[in-house]
Amino acid sequence: MHNQVILIEHPLIQHKLTLLRKVETDTAKFRVLLKEISLLLAYEVTRDLPVKYEQIQTPLSLMKAPMLAPDKKLVIVSIQRAGQGILEGMLELMPSARVGHIGLYRDPKTLIAVEYYFKVPDDVEQRDVLIVDPMLATGNTAVAAVERLKSTNPLSIKFVCLLAAPEGIEHFTDVHPDVPIYTAAIDEYLDEKGYIIPGLGDAGDRLFGTK
Ligand code: URA
């Protein structure tokens, strides 16, 4: 496996991901599972956040206790529309993270990513960015999103997804060898329409019940 890819194989994530993949999982259950998985992904992705020690008083004693370093600020950038599902879970764990949105859709004929919306916090240059999208399929959307984010000069960028196709990983790592990919699974291949096989279907449609 490419050393830029961090495969998160925690049993709780794997179990919930299996439930998420099942065709019989309805929209309500899909939303809950995606939120739960995202919360667990956030836990793994933020492992390297620095802490600072501050003096506190417990009921019994004074102690120096770790707190997240206040100068280490995050922004979660959701790729519309399916990224919204991951964003919500992550915000539950990190309620003060700032949020950005990038609107990119895949042209169904060419599979090329087309941007229609972009908004990130003004101080993104002082922030670490987590770009979230459940599926890394062809990689076109993820590559375009990272390119766009790089133009805003954040401190760092990580890409977080649930499922990645080998083709998407190859494309992404070719163009952005400096950006780590966090994923809960690497599936087998892409079909001719750009869907991940075995995958979970269209993440946006399953999340929003649009099909
Ligand atoms: N986007 C999806 O929602 N599903 C796929 O399988 C590929 C891209």
Side-chain angles (χ1 to χ4, degrees):
M1 189 173 58
H2 205 286
N3 63 6
Q4 195 180 330
V5 181
I6 298 107
L7 185 59
I8 303 174
E9 291 176 298
H10 193 291
L12 271 176
I13 295 183
Q14 294 304 319
H15 176 83
K16 288 176 190 293
L17 181 56
T18 299
L19 297 175
L20 196 75
R21 289 178 186 272
K22 288 187 176 185
V23 67
E24 64 267 31
T25 297
D26 64 16
T27 292
K29 187 82 186 138
F30 191 92
R31 277 185 196 141
V32 173
L33 285 165
L34 183 55
K35 199 166 173 185
E36 290 171 349
I37 294 172
S38 308
L39 206 139
L40 295 165
L41 285 177
Y43 175 80
E44 291 288 341
V45 168
T46 52
R47 250 177 206 290
D48 57 354
L49 281 181
V51 291
K52 279 199 173 141
Y53 284 78
E54 75 175 48
Q55 176 100 324
I56 62 158
Q57 173 79 58
T58 78
L60 297 176
S61 157
L62 281 173
M63 75 172 285
K64 288 234 179 232
M67 295 280 285
L68 286 175
D71 49 342
K72 198 71 180 164
K73 295 187 279 188
L74 286 178
V75 53
I76 305 168
V77 177
S78 157
I79 300 183
Q80 299 303 305
R81 62 189 165 136
Q84 207 61 24
I86 299 192
L87 172 68
E88 282 175 24
M90 291 203 166
L91 281 178
E92 205 152 297
L93 196 67
M94 302 179 285
S96 19
R98 297 298 188 259
V99 172
H101 292 282
I102 179 159
L104 288 165
Y105 70 88
R106 290 202 306 176
D107 183 296
K109 288 212 177 74
T110 63
L111 303 184
I112 287 171
V114 184
E115 181 182 317
Y116 62 89
Y117 187 76
F118 186 79
K119 183 82 183 168
V120 294
D122 290 343
D123 63 351
V124 67
E125 287 191 13
Q126 286 130 51
R127 291 182 179 271
D128 294 293
V129 170
L130 302 176
I131 302 180
V132 300
D133 189 357
M135 314 299 270
L136 178 58
T138 61
N140 290 343
T141 306
V143 162
V146 172
E147 223 153 74
R148 187 69 173 86
L149 259 300
K150 278 184 174 173
S151 73
T152 67
N153 270 326
L155 294 177
S156 71
I157 300 178
K158 290 175 179 170
F159 183 81
V160 187
C161 59
L162 291 188
L163 298 186
E167 296 89 332
I169 291 176
E170 198 174 318
H171 181 192
F172 188 100
T173 51
D174 272 355
V175 184
H176 298 297
D178 53 331
V179 177
I181 301 169
Y182 289 77
T183 185
I186 300 172
D187 274 10
E188 290 171 24
Y189 65 96
L190 285 183
D191 74 4
E192 68 289 348
K193 290 190 180 131
Y195 280 98
I196 298 177
I197 306 296
L200 52 74
D202 187 299
D205 281 339
R206 295 199 65 188
L207 178 64
F208 296 110
T210 38
K211 231 171 222 163

